[in-house]
Amino acid sequence: MSSTTTFRVALRGDAILTNPRFNKGTAFTTTERKEFGLVGRLPWSVCSLDEQCQRAYDQLQARDTPIRKNSFLQSLKAQNWVLYYTLISRHLHELVPIIYTPTEAEAISNYSHLFRRSEGLYLTFPFEDTMEEDFLEETRGRNIDLIVCSDAEAILGIGDQGVGISSAKSVIYTLIGGIDPSRSLSVTLDVGTDNEDLLNDNLYVGWPKNRVRGADYDRFIDKFVQLVRKHFPHSLLHFEDFGVTNAQRILARYRDTHAVFNDDIQGTGAVTLSCVMAAIGVTKSKLRDQRFIIYGAGSAGLGITKQLRDAMVTMDDVDEAEANKLFWLIDKHGLIKESLPDVRDDLKAFVRPDAEWQSFAGDAEVKLLDVVKAVKPTVLIGCSTHGGAFTEEVVKAMAATCERPIILPLSNPSRLVEVDPRDANEWTHGKALLATGSPFPPAKMPNGKDTCDIAECNNALIYPGLGFGAMLCQSRRMTDTMIIAGARRLASLSPALKDPDDALLPDFGDAPNVNFEVAVGWAKEEVRERAKDKQWLPIYGDYVL
Protein backbone atom coordinates (compact mmCIF):
# COMPACT_ATOMS: atom_id res chain seq x y z
CA MET A 1 0.00 0.00 0.00
CA SER A 2 1.35 3.42 -0.98
CA SER A 3 2.07 5.93 1.78
CA THR A 4 -0.15 8.41 -0.12
CA THR A 5 -3.26 6.21 -0.22
CA THR A 6 -6.48 8.15 0.37
CA PHE A 7 -9.43 6.47 2.12
CA ARG A 8 -13.03 7.60 1.97
CA VAL A 9 -14.29 7.14 5.54
CA ALA A 10 -17.90 7.58 6.61
CA LEU A 11 -17.15 7.40 10.36
CA ARG A 12 -17.08 10.40 12.71
CA GLY A 13 -16.27 11.15 16.32
CA ASP A 14 -16.01 8.21 18.68
CA ALA A 15 -16.87 5.80 15.85
CA ILE A 16 -13.58 6.51 14.06
CA LEU A 17 -11.54 6.71 17.28
CA THR A 18 -12.73 3.25 18.34
CA ASN A 19 -12.16 1.64 14.94
CA PRO A 20 -8.60 0.22 14.94
CA ARG A 21 -8.47 0.11 11.15
CA PHE A 22 -8.95 3.87 10.78
CA ASN A 23 -7.96 5.33 14.14
CA LYS A 24 -4.81 7.50 14.06
CA GLY A 25 -5.03 8.77 17.64
CA THR A 26 -2.94 11.91 18.05
CA ALA A 27 -1.72 11.60 14.45
CA PHE A 28 -4.98 12.96 13.02
CA THR A 29 -4.11 16.21 11.29
CA THR A 30 -5.79 19.50 12.21
CA THR A 31 -7.85 19.34 9.02
CA GLU A 32 -8.95 15.75 9.71
CA ARG A 33 -9.91 16.64 13.27
CA LYS A 34 -12.24 19.35 11.99
CA GLU A 35 -13.75 17.19 9.25
CA PHE A 36 -14.36 14.13 11.43
CA GLY A 37 -15.55 15.82 14.60
CA LEU A 38 -12.42 15.15 16.63
CA VAL A 39 -11.26 18.61 17.74
CA GLY A 40 -12.68 18.28 21.23
CA ARG A 41 -11.93 14.57 21.47
CA LEU A 42 -8.12 14.79 21.18
CA PRO A 43 -5.43 16.83 22.96
CA TRP A 44 -3.81 19.75 21.11
CA SER A 45 -0.61 18.15 19.81
CA VAL A 46 -0.50 16.50 16.37
CA CYS A 47 2.06 13.71 16.61
CA SER A 48 3.97 11.91 13.88
CA LEU A 49 3.92 8.12 13.64
CA ASP A 50 7.55 8.15 14.82
CA GLU A 51 6.57 10.04 17.96
CA GLN A 52 3.66 7.69 18.59
CA CYS A 53 5.99 4.69 18.25
CA GLN A 54 8.43 6.17 20.74
CA ARG A 55 5.65 6.78 23.25
CA ALA A 56 4.20 3.29 22.80
CA TYR A 57 7.65 1.68 23.07
CA ASP A 58 8.35 3.56 26.30
CA GLN A 59 5.01 2.38 27.69
CA LEU A 60 5.81 -1.18 26.62
CA GLN A 61 9.19 -1.12 28.35
CA ALA A 62 7.46 -0.24 31.63
CA ARG A 63 5.87 -3.72 31.56
CA ASP A 64 8.23 -6.06 33.40
CA THR A 65 7.18 -9.50 32.11
CA PRO A 66 6.59 -10.95 28.63
CA ILE A 67 2.92 -11.72 29.35
CA ARG A 68 2.28 -8.13 30.46
CA LYS A 69 3.96 -6.88 27.32
CA ASN A 70 1.79 -9.26 25.31
CA SER A 71 -1.31 -7.86 27.01
CA PHE A 72 -0.22 -4.28 26.29
CA LEU A 73 0.33 -5.06 22.61
CA GLN A 74 -3.06 -6.80 22.38
CA SER A 75 -4.63 -3.64 23.73
CA LEU A 76 -2.70 -1.50 21.25
CA LYS A 77 -3.85 -3.69 18.35
CA ALA A 78 -7.45 -3.21 19.45
CA GLN A 79 -6.93 0.57 19.24
CA ASN A 80 -4.71 1.35 16.25
CA TRP A 81 -3.54 -1.16 13.61
CA VAL A 82 -1.03 1.13 11.92
CA LEU A 83 0.72 2.00 15.18
CA TYR A 84 0.67 -1.64 16.35
CA TYR A 85 2.24 -3.07 13.19
CA THR A 86 4.72 -0.22 12.80
CA LEU A 87 5.94 -0.61 16.38
CA ILE A 88 6.50 -4.35 16.03
CA SER A 89 8.12 -4.08 12.60
CA ARG A 90 10.68 -1.65 14.05
CA HIS A 91 11.53 -4.06 16.88
CA LEU A 92 10.98 -7.38 15.09
CA HIS A 93 13.56 -9.47 16.94
CA GLU A 94 12.45 -8.20 20.31
CA LEU A 95 8.68 -8.23 19.91
CA VAL A 96 7.80 -11.22 17.73
CA PRO A 97 8.58 -13.58 20.66
CA ILE A 98 6.15 -11.46 22.70
CA ILE A 99 3.20 -11.64 20.28
CA TYR A 100 4.02 -15.14 18.97
CA THR A 101 6.06 -18.11 20.18
CA PRO A 102 6.84 -18.48 23.07
CA THR A 103 4.80 -15.85 24.98
CA GLU A 104 1.59 -16.35 23.01
CA ALA A 105 1.39 -19.91 24.35
CA GLU A 106 1.21 -18.53 27.89
CA ALA A 107 -1.41 -16.01 26.78
CA ILE A 108 -3.53 -18.74 25.20
CA SER A 109 -3.24 -21.01 28.25
CA ASN A 110 -4.58 -18.11 30.37
CA TYR A 111 -7.04 -16.93 27.72
CA SER A 112 -10.16 -17.17 29.86
CA HIS A 113 -8.56 -15.25 32.72
CA LEU A 114 -7.02 -12.57 30.49
CA PHE A 115 -10.13 -12.18 28.33
CA ARG A 116 -11.21 -8.57 27.76
CA ARG A 117 -12.93 -8.45 24.39
CA SER A 118 -13.75 -10.84 21.58
CA GLU A 119 -11.60 -11.00 18.49
CA GLY A 120 -12.54 -12.66 15.22
CA LEU A 121 -15.32 -15.21 14.78
CA TYR A 122 -16.36 -17.90 17.27
CA LEU A 123 -18.25 -20.85 15.82
CA THR A 124 -19.44 -23.16 18.61
CA PHE A 125 -20.82 -26.67 18.17
CA PRO A 126 -24.20 -26.11 19.92
CA PHE A 127 -24.89 -23.30 17.43
CA GLU A 128 -24.13 -25.39 14.34
CA ASP A 129 -27.62 -24.72 12.93
CA THR A 130 -26.96 -20.97 12.76
CA MET A 131 -23.36 -21.24 11.53
CA GLU A 132 -23.97 -19.60 8.15
CA GLU A 133 -25.92 -16.75 9.73
CA ASP A 134 -23.14 -16.17 12.28
CA PHE A 135 -20.49 -16.42 9.56
CA LEU A 136 -22.21 -13.81 7.41
CA GLU A 137 -22.77 -11.45 10.35
CA GLU A 138 -18.97 -11.25 10.73
CA THR A 139 -18.03 -11.18 7.06
CA ARG A 140 -20.88 -9.39 5.25
CA GLY A 141 -19.55 -6.59 3.06
CA ARG A 142 -15.93 -7.65 3.55
CA ASN A 143 -13.43 -8.94 1.02
CA ILE A 144 -11.59 -11.80 2.73
CA ASP A 145 -8.32 -13.16 1.36
CA LEU A 146 -7.15 -15.12 4.42
CA ILE A 147 -9.03 -17.23 6.98
CA VAL A 148 -7.07 -18.75 9.86
CA CYS A 149 -9.03 -21.33 11.84
CA SER A 150 -8.24 -23.50 14.85
CA ASP A 151 -9.97 -26.00 17.10
CA ALA A 152 -7.12 -25.53 19.62
CA GLU A 153 -6.63 -29.24 20.32
CA ALA A 154 -2.87 -29.38 19.87
CA ILE A 155 -1.22 -26.05 20.63
CA LEU A 156 2.52 -26.71 20.69
CA GLY A 157 3.84 -27.15 24.22
CA ILE A 158 0.46 -26.69 25.98
CA GLY A 159 -1.89 -29.10 24.21
CA ASP A 160 -5.69 -28.87 24.29
CA GLN A 161 -6.89 -25.34 25.12
CA GLY A 162 -10.48 -25.65 23.92
CA VAL A 163 -11.16 -22.09 22.84
CA GLY A 164 -7.71 -20.82 21.94
CA ILE A 165 -7.21 -18.00 19.49
CA SER A 166 -5.86 -18.02 15.94
CA SER A 167 -5.29 -14.27 15.68
CA ALA A 168 -1.53 -14.49 16.38
CA LYS A 169 -1.06 -16.34 13.09
CA SER A 170 -3.04 -13.70 11.22
CA VAL A 171 -0.82 -11.02 12.77
CA ILE A 172 2.31 -12.71 11.41
CA TYR A 173 0.75 -12.91 7.93
CA THR A 174 0.30 -9.12 8.07
CA LEU A 175 3.55 -8.25 9.82
CA ILE A 176 5.82 -10.40 7.67
CA GLY A 177 3.76 -11.29 4.60
CA GLY A 178 2.14 -7.89 4.05
CA ILE A 179 -1.46 -9.16 4.15
CA ASP A 180 -4.04 -6.40 4.69
CA PRO A 181 -5.46 -7.13 8.18
CA SER A 182 -8.90 -5.92 7.09
CA ARG A 183 -8.95 -8.78 4.56
CA SER A 184 -8.17 -11.55 7.06
CA LEU A 185 -10.41 -13.42 9.50
CA SER A 186 -9.50 -15.43 12.59
CA VAL A 187 -11.92 -18.23 13.42
CA THR A 188 -12.22 -20.31 16.59
CA LEU A 189 -13.97 -23.65 16.03
CA ASP A 190 -15.13 -24.50 19.54
CA VAL A 191 -15.99 -28.19 19.72
CA GLY A 192 -15.30 -28.53 23.44
CA THR A 193 -12.20 -29.59 25.33
CA ASP A 194 -10.81 -32.66 27.07
CA ASN A 195 -8.64 -30.47 29.32
CA GLU A 196 -9.99 -31.18 32.82
CA ASP A 197 -8.46 -28.01 34.25
CA LEU A 198 -10.50 -25.95 31.81
CA LEU A 199 -13.67 -27.97 32.33
CA ASN A 200 -13.39 -27.34 36.07
CA ASP A 201 -12.60 -23.63 35.69
CA ASN A 202 -15.69 -21.54 36.37
CA LEU A 203 -14.14 -18.65 34.39
CA TYR A 204 -13.57 -20.74 31.24
CA VAL A 205 -15.16 -18.82 28.33
CA GLY A 206 -15.46 -21.74 25.92
CA TRP A 207 -18.09 -24.48 25.61
CA PRO A 208 -17.49 -26.55 28.78
CA LYS A 209 -18.07 -30.02 27.32
CA ASN A 210 -15.80 -32.85 26.25
CA ARG A 211 -14.57 -32.64 22.66
CA VAL A 212 -16.96 -33.67 19.93
CA ARG A 213 -15.43 -36.39 17.77
CA GLY A 214 -16.30 -38.74 14.93
CA ALA A 215 -19.07 -38.01 12.46
CA ASP A 216 -20.42 -35.02 14.40
CA TYR A 217 -17.00 -33.36 14.38
CA ASP A 218 -16.48 -34.04 10.67
CA ARG A 219 -19.91 -32.62 9.82
CA PHE A 220 -19.22 -29.43 11.81
CA ILE A 221 -15.83 -28.89 10.15
CA ASP A 222 -17.21 -29.64 6.71
CA LYS A 223 -20.05 -27.17 7.15
CA PHE A 224 -17.51 -24.46 7.99
CA VAL A 225 -15.23 -25.31 5.04
CA GLN A 226 -18.16 -25.32 2.62
CA LEU A 227 -19.15 -21.84 3.86
CA VAL A 228 -15.62 -20.64 3.11
CA ARG A 229 -15.73 -22.20 -0.36
CA LYS A 230 -19.19 -20.75 -1.05
CA HIS A 231 -18.59 -17.17 0.08
CA PHE A 232 -14.83 -16.74 -0.40
CA PRO A 233 -13.76 -19.23 -3.08
CA HIS A 234 -10.41 -17.55 -3.74
CA SER A 235 -9.37 -17.19 -0.09
CA LEU A 236 -6.57 -19.12 1.60
CA LEU A 237 -7.85 -21.32 4.44
CA HIS A 238 -5.14 -21.87 7.05
CA PHE A 239 -5.62 -24.73 9.58
CA GLU A 240 -3.81 -24.24 12.89
CA ASP A 241 -3.25 -26.44 15.97
CA PHE A 242 -5.53 -29.31 14.98
CA GLY A 243 -4.93 -32.62 16.79
CA VAL A 244 -2.83 -35.38 15.29
CA THR A 245 -5.90 -37.56 14.57
CA ASN A 246 -7.53 -34.79 12.53
CA ALA A 247 -4.81 -32.59 11.01
CA GLN A 248 -3.60 -34.86 8.21
CA ARG A 249 -6.99 -36.18 7.15
CA ILE A 250 -8.62 -32.72 7.09
CA LEU A 251 -5.79 -31.42 4.94
CA ALA A 252 -6.07 -34.41 2.61
CA ARG A 253 -9.85 -34.06 2.36
CA TYR A 254 -9.90 -30.45 1.18
CA ARG A 255 -6.57 -29.70 -0.48
CA ASP A 256 -7.77 -30.63 -3.98
CA THR A 257 -10.87 -28.42 -3.84
CA HIS A 258 -9.65 -25.24 -2.12
CA ALA A 259 -6.39 -23.45 -1.30
CA VAL A 260 -5.83 -24.90 2.18
CA PHE A 261 -2.70 -24.92 4.29
CA ASN A 262 -1.78 -26.55 7.59
CA ASP A 263 1.17 -24.77 9.13
CA ASP A 264 1.91 -27.50 11.67
CA ILE A 265 2.30 -29.99 8.81
CA GLN A 266 3.24 -28.05 5.69
CA GLY A 267 4.79 -24.93 7.22
CA THR A 268 7.04 -26.88 9.56
CA GLY A 269 7.84 -29.28 6.73
CA ALA A 270 8.62 -26.48 4.27
CA VAL A 271 10.96 -24.48 6.52
CA THR A 272 12.71 -27.70 7.59
CA LEU A 273 13.10 -28.68 3.94
CA SER A 274 14.70 -25.27 3.28
CA CYS A 275 17.06 -25.82 6.19
CA VAL A 276 18.06 -29.29 5.00
CA MET A 277 18.52 -28.06 1.41
CA ALA A 278 20.81 -25.30 2.69
CA ALA A 279 22.77 -27.87 4.73
CA ILE A 280 23.24 -30.27 1.80
CA GLY A 281 24.31 -27.25 -0.23
CA VAL A 282 27.16 -26.96 2.26
CA THR A 283 27.98 -30.69 2.13
CA LYS A 284 27.64 -30.79 -1.68
CA SER A 285 25.25 -33.74 -1.54
CA LYS A 286 21.64 -34.47 -2.52
CA LEU A 287 18.49 -35.31 -0.60
CA ARG A 288 18.63 -38.86 -1.93
CA ASP A 289 22.06 -39.29 -0.29
CA GLN A 290 20.73 -38.66 3.22
CA ARG A 291 19.49 -40.99 5.96
CA PHE A 292 16.88 -39.27 8.12
CA ILE A 293 15.90 -39.96 11.72
CA ILE A 294 12.74 -38.09 12.71
CA TYR A 295 12.35 -38.04 16.49
CA GLY A 296 8.67 -37.29 17.11
CA ALA A 297 6.02 -38.74 14.80
CA GLY A 298 3.12 -36.36 15.42
CA SER A 299 1.68 -33.89 12.91
CA ALA A 300 4.90 -31.89 12.69
CA GLY A 301 7.18 -34.93 12.42
CA LEU A 302 5.07 -36.59 9.75
CA GLY A 303 4.69 -33.28 7.90
CA ILE A 304 8.47 -32.87 7.84
CA THR A 305 8.93 -36.44 6.69
CA LYS A 306 6.46 -36.14 3.84
CA GLN A 307 7.81 -32.77 2.73
CA LEU A 308 11.37 -34.11 2.59
CA ARG A 309 10.18 -37.28 0.84
CA ASP A 310 8.13 -35.37 -1.73
CA ALA A 311 11.02 -33.00 -2.43
CA MET A 312 13.29 -35.99 -2.95
CA VAL A 313 10.82 -37.47 -5.44
CA THR A 314 10.44 -34.15 -7.26
CA MET A 315 14.04 -32.90 -7.23
CA ASP A 316 16.07 -36.12 -7.30
CA ASP A 317 13.69 -38.27 -9.38
CA VAL A 318 13.46 -40.97 -6.71
CA ASP A 319 10.57 -43.43 -6.61
CA GLU A 320 8.30 -42.67 -3.64
CA ALA A 321 8.56 -46.19 -2.18
CA GLU A 322 12.37 -46.02 -2.36
CA ALA A 323 12.38 -42.55 -0.80
CA ASN A 324 10.28 -43.83 2.13
CA LYS A 325 13.07 -46.28 2.99
CA LEU A 326 15.42 -43.40 3.84
CA PHE A 327 13.36 -42.38 6.88
CA TRP A 328 13.31 -43.81 10.40
CA LEU A 329 10.52 -42.37 12.57
CA ILE A 330 10.58 -42.61 16.36
CA ASP A 331 7.76 -41.81 18.77
CA LYS A 332 7.30 -42.28 22.52
CA HIS A 333 7.19 -46.08 22.02
CA GLY A 334 10.47 -46.16 20.09
CA LEU A 335 11.15 -46.86 16.43
CA ILE A 336 7.97 -47.29 14.41
CA LYS A 337 8.27 -50.86 13.15
CA GLU A 338 5.94 -53.66 12.09
CA SER A 339 5.45 -55.21 15.54
CA LEU A 340 4.51 -51.89 17.14
CA PRO A 341 0.75 -52.02 17.92
CA ASP A 342 -1.81 -49.42 16.83
CA VAL A 343 0.32 -47.59 14.28
CA ARG A 344 -1.63 -44.69 12.77
CA ASP A 345 -2.69 -45.15 9.16
CA ASP A 346 -0.82 -42.04 8.05
CA LEU A 347 2.47 -43.50 9.35
CA LYS A 348 2.26 -46.90 7.66
CA ALA A 349 4.27 -45.90 4.59
CA PHE A 350 7.25 -45.36 6.91
CA VAL A 351 6.99 -48.46 9.12
CA ARG A 352 10.32 -50.31 9.31
CA PRO A 353 10.39 -54.10 8.78
CA ASP A 354 10.98 -56.16 11.93
CA ALA A 355 13.58 -58.11 9.96
CA GLU A 356 15.89 -55.09 10.20
CA TRP A 357 15.78 -55.31 14.00
CA GLN A 358 16.02 -59.03 14.75
CA SER A 359 18.19 -58.40 17.80
CA PHE A 360 15.17 -56.71 19.41
CA ALA A 361 12.82 -59.57 20.19
CA GLY A 362 9.07 -59.19 19.70
CA ASP A 363 7.76 -55.82 20.76
CA ALA A 364 10.99 -54.69 22.44
CA GLU A 365 11.43 -50.92 22.14
CA VAL A 366 14.12 -49.70 19.75
CA LYS A 367 15.39 -46.46 21.24
CA LEU A 368 16.97 -43.42 19.63
CA LEU A 369 20.55 -44.39 20.41
CA ASP A 370 19.96 -47.88 18.99
CA VAL A 371 18.68 -46.40 15.75
CA VAL A 372 21.54 -43.90 15.48
CA LYS A 373 24.16 -46.63 15.89
CA ALA A 374 22.47 -48.94 13.39
CA VAL A 375 21.40 -46.45 10.73
CA LYS A 376 24.36 -44.02 10.82
CA PRO A 377 22.12 -41.04 9.97
CA THR A 378 23.23 -37.88 8.21
CA VAL A 379 20.18 -35.90 9.40
CA LEU A 380 18.65 -35.96 12.89
CA ILE A 381 15.45 -33.95 13.37
CA GLY A 382 13.65 -33.46 16.68
CA CYS A 383 10.01 -32.42 16.97
CA SER A 384 9.09 -34.41 20.07
CA THR A 385 8.96 -31.74 22.84
CA HIS A 386 11.18 -34.22 24.74
CA GLY A 387 13.76 -31.88 26.22
CA GLY A 388 17.32 -33.24 26.26
CA ALA A 389 16.52 -36.32 24.15
CA PHE A 390 19.60 -35.80 21.97
CA THR A 391 22.11 -36.75 24.64
CA GLU A 392 25.87 -36.42 24.38
CA GLU A 393 26.09 -40.15 23.62
CA VAL A 394 23.53 -39.83 20.81
CA VAL A 395 25.18 -36.81 19.23
CA LYS A 396 28.69 -38.25 19.44
CA ALA A 397 27.52 -41.56 17.97
CA MET A 398 26.08 -39.67 15.00
CA ALA A 399 29.19 -37.53 14.56
CA ALA A 400 31.42 -40.62 14.62
CA THR A 401 30.09 -41.75 11.23
CA CYS A 402 29.18 -38.42 9.60
CA GLU A 403 31.60 -35.65 8.66
CA ARG A 404 29.01 -32.83 8.86
CA PRO A 405 26.00 -34.12 10.83
CA ILE A 406 22.82 -32.11 10.24
CA ILE A 407 21.12 -31.76 13.64
CA LEU A 408 17.83 -29.91 13.90
CA PRO A 409 16.29 -29.87 17.41
CA LEU A 410 13.07 -28.05 16.48
CA SER A 411 10.85 -28.40 19.55
CA ASN A 412 9.80 -25.22 21.27
CA PRO A 413 9.70 -23.43 23.59
CA SER A 414 13.41 -23.65 24.30
CA ARG A 415 12.95 -25.63 27.53
CA LEU A 416 11.62 -28.51 25.41
CA VAL A 417 14.42 -28.52 22.82
CA GLU A 418 16.02 -31.92 22.21
CA VAL A 419 19.54 -30.53 22.65
CA ASP A 420 21.03 -27.13 23.34
CA PRO A 421 22.78 -26.28 20.06
CA ARG A 422 25.82 -25.03 21.96
CA ASP A 423 26.23 -28.51 23.46
CA ALA A 424 25.77 -30.20 20.07
CA ASN A 425 28.36 -27.85 18.60
CA GLU A 426 30.84 -28.69 21.35
CA TRP A 427 30.23 -32.45 21.23
CA THR A 428 30.82 -32.51 17.45
CA HIS A 429 33.87 -30.19 17.63
CA GLY A 430 32.07 -27.59 15.53
CA LYS A 431 31.22 -30.01 12.71
CA ALA A 432 27.43 -30.05 13.16
CA LEU A 433 25.16 -28.04 10.88
CA LEU A 434 22.55 -26.77 13.32
CA ALA A 435 19.16 -25.09 13.44
CA THR A 436 16.57 -24.85 16.21
CA GLY A 437 12.88 -24.12 16.55
CA SER A 438 13.43 -21.37 19.11
CA PRO A 439 16.05 -18.58 19.10
CA PHE A 440 19.42 -19.41 20.70
CA PRO A 441 22.57 -17.30 21.08
CA PRO A 442 25.62 -18.04 18.89
CA ALA A 443 27.77 -21.02 19.81
CA LYS A 444 31.53 -20.79 20.29
CA MET A 445 33.67 -22.63 17.80
CA PRO A 446 36.36 -25.07 19.02
CA ASN A 447 39.12 -22.45 18.58
CA GLY A 448 37.44 -20.45 21.34
CA LYS A 449 37.50 -17.27 19.28
CA ASP A 450 34.95 -17.46 16.48
CA THR A 451 31.23 -17.99 16.97
CA CYS A 452 28.64 -19.86 14.93
CA ASP A 453 25.20 -18.31 14.45
CA ILE A 454 22.40 -20.79 15.14
CA ALA A 455 19.65 -20.59 12.53
CA GLU A 456 16.11 -20.35 13.83
CA CYS A 457 14.02 -22.81 11.82
CA ASN A 458 10.93 -20.68 12.27
CA ASN A 459 7.82 -21.34 10.17
CA ALA A 460 7.34 -17.58 9.93
CA LEU A 461 10.29 -17.48 7.52
CA ILE A 462 8.11 -19.17 4.91
CA TYR A 463 4.37 -19.55 5.56
CA PRO A 464 3.48 -15.83 5.20
CA GLY A 465 5.21 -15.85 1.80
CA LEU A 466 3.45 -19.04 0.71
CA GLY A 467 0.14 -17.53 1.78
CA PHE A 468 0.83 -14.19 0.12
CA GLY A 469 1.73 -16.00 -3.12
CA ALA A 470 -1.56 -17.93 -2.99
CA MET A 471 -3.51 -14.73 -2.43
CA LEU A 472 -1.71 -12.86 -5.20
CA CYS A 473 -2.59 -15.61 -7.67
CA GLN A 474 -6.04 -16.27 -6.17
CA SER A 475 -5.14 -19.91 -6.50
CA ARG A 476 -7.72 -22.64 -5.90
CA ARG A 477 -5.00 -25.05 -4.68
CA MET A 478 -1.72 -25.11 -2.82
CA THR A 479 0.19 -28.06 -4.27
CA ASP A 480 3.32 -29.78 -3.00
CA THR A 481 5.36 -28.50 -5.93
CA MET A 482 4.33 -24.92 -5.16
CA ILE A 483 5.45 -25.34 -1.54
CA ILE A 484 8.72 -26.92 -2.69
CA ALA A 485 9.29 -23.94 -5.00
CA GLY A 486 8.91 -21.58 -2.04
CA ALA A 487 11.21 -23.74 0.10
CA ARG A 488 13.89 -23.81 -2.60
CA ARG A 489 13.77 -20.02 -2.82
CA LEU A 490 14.24 -19.72 0.95
CA ALA A 491 17.13 -22.21 0.88
CA SER A 492 18.82 -20.20 -1.87
CA LEU A 493 19.01 -17.25 0.54
CA SER A 494 20.99 -19.24 3.14
CA PRO A 495 24.05 -17.39 4.53
CA ALA A 496 25.77 -20.79 4.90
CA LEU A 497 25.99 -21.12 1.12
CA LYS A 498 28.52 -18.26 1.21
CA ASP A 499 30.19 -19.22 4.51
CA PRO A 500 29.79 -22.88 5.66
CA ASP A 501 30.07 -21.81 9.30
CA ASP A 502 27.29 -19.24 9.01
CA ALA A 503 23.59 -19.78 9.79
CA LEU A 504 21.61 -22.21 7.63
CA LEU A 505 18.70 -19.79 7.26
CA PRO A 506 18.44 -16.00 6.96
CA ASP A 507 18.17 -13.94 10.11
CA PHE A 508 14.59 -13.54 11.35
CA GLY A 509 15.01 -9.78 11.18
CA ASP A 510 15.02 -10.20 7.38
CA ALA A 511 11.76 -12.19 7.42
CA PRO A 512 9.66 -9.60 5.52
CA ASN A 513 12.11 -9.45 2.60
CA VAL A 514 12.64 -13.22 2.70
CA ASN A 515 8.89 -13.91 2.55
CA PHE A 516 8.52 -11.57 -0.39
CA GLU A 517 11.03 -13.72 -2.28
CA VAL A 518 9.20 -16.88 -1.16
CA ALA A 519 5.92 -15.44 -2.48
CA VAL A 520 7.50 -14.69 -5.86
CA GLY A 521 8.98 -18.20 -6.04
CA TRP A 522 5.61 -19.74 -5.13
CA ALA A 523 3.73 -17.58 -7.65
CA LYS A 524 6.06 -18.52 -10.50
CA GLU A 525 5.41 -22.21 -9.86
CA GLU A 526 1.65 -21.62 -9.58
CA VAL A 527 1.61 -19.85 -12.94
CA ARG A 528 3.68 -22.66 -14.47
CA GLU A 529 1.23 -25.31 -13.19
CA ARG A 530 -1.79 -23.29 -14.30
CA ALA A 531 -0.29 -22.81 -17.76
CA LYS A 532 0.46 -26.53 -17.97
CA ASP A 533 -3.15 -27.36 -17.06
CA LYS A 534 -4.38 -25.12 -19.91
CA GLN A 535 -2.30 -26.80 -22.60
CA TRP A 536 -4.17 -29.00 -25.05
CA LEU A 537 -2.62 -32.41 -25.67
CA PRO A 538 -3.54 -34.89 -28.43
CA ILE A 539 -4.80 -37.56 -26.02
CA TYR A 540 -8.00 -39.61 -26.26
CA GLY A 541 -10.36 -39.00 -23.39
CA ASP A 542 -13.05 -41.25 -21.91
CA TYR A 543 -16.46 -40.81 -23.50
CA VAL A 544 -19.79 -41.21 -21.73
CA LEU A 545 -23.41 -40.66 -22.81
Side-chain angles (χ1 to χ4, degrees), residues 22 55 83 95 131 145-146 151 218 267 273 285 303 307 329 351 362 381:
F22 297 112
R55 181 183 296 115
L83 178 55
L95 298 186
M131 184 188 291
D145 294 327
L146 169 69
D151 74 353
D218 290 345
L273 171 60
S285 57
Q307 196 72 71
L329 276 62
V351 172
I381 299 173

Side-chain angles (χ1 to χ4, degrees), residues 89-106:
S89 66
R90 293 182 180 184
H91 303 276
L92 204 60
H93 266 298
E94 177 186 355
L95 298 186
V96 165
I98 299 296
I99 64 166
Y100 194 51
T101 303
T103 310
E104 185 63 12
E106 183 181 354

Side-chain angles (χ1 to χ4, degrees), residues 210-355:
N210 286 111
R211 278 190 175 271
V212 174
R213 300 193 183 276
D216 288 342
Y217 175 88
D218 290 345
R219 185 188 66 249
F220 183 79
I221 298 298
D222 186 64
K223 187 169 185 177
F224 164 69
V225 174
Q226 298 311 326
L227 284 176
V228 173
R229 296 185 61 210
K230 175 181 176 181
H231 296 288
F232 301 104
H234 295 289
S235 66
L236 172 67
L237 179 56
H238 177 124
F239 294 108
E240 183 71 16
D241 296 327
F242 282 73
V244 66
T245 58
N246 293 319
Q248 288 278 356
R249 64 186 190 85
I250 289 175
L251 179 63
R253 180 175 182 179
Y254 298 110
R255 66 179 309 178
D256 291 332
T257 58
H258 194 84
V260 297
F261 184 75
N262 185 307
D263 185 48
D264 303 301
I265 298 171
Q266 296 164 296
T268 301
V271 74
T272 306
L273 171 60
S274 296
C275 204
V276 171
M277 285 197 291
I280 64 176
V282 172
T283 62
K284 309 299 182 186
S285 57
K286 294 185 176 182
L287 285 171
R288 67 187 303 168
D289 301 326
Q290 313 308 312
R291 295 177 300 282
F292 297 89
I293 292 179
I294 312 295
Y295 187 73
S299 294
L302 183 58
I304 289 169
T305 301
K306 287 186 173 180
Q307 196 72 71
L308 290 166
R309 188 270 316 276
D310 292 344
M312 196 183 301
V313 170
T314 300
M315 296 166 57
D316 294 347
D317 197 26
V318 179
D319 178 76
E320 183 175 303
E322 290 301 309
N324 289 342
K325 296 177 183 179
L326 297 175
F327 293 88
W328 287 259
L329 276 62
I330 300 174
D331 69 4
K332 60 184 178 181
H333 301 296
L335 178 69
I336 295 175
K337 56 189 180 75
E338 288 174 336
S339 57
L340 195 68
D342 301 322
V343 174
R344 300 196 320 267
D345 288 342
D346 54 8
L347 292 173
K348 289 184 177 177
F350 303 99
V351 172
R352 305 304 305 192
D354 283 343

Side-chain angles (χ1 to χ4, degrees), residues 42-58:
L42 291 168
W44 168 264
S45 179
V46 175
C47 298
S48 67
L49 183 56
D50 288 341
E51 290 169 332
Q52 287 184 311
C53 277
Q54 182 59 57
R55 181 183 296 115
Y57 187 71
D58 290 343

Side-chain angles (χ1 to χ4, degrees), residues 440-460:
F440 277 87
K444 286 186 178 180
M445 296 299 285
N447 59 22
K449 298 178 182 179
D450 299 326
T451 59
C452 171
D453 287 333
I454 305 299
E456 184 182 353
C457 195
N458 190 322
N459 297 17

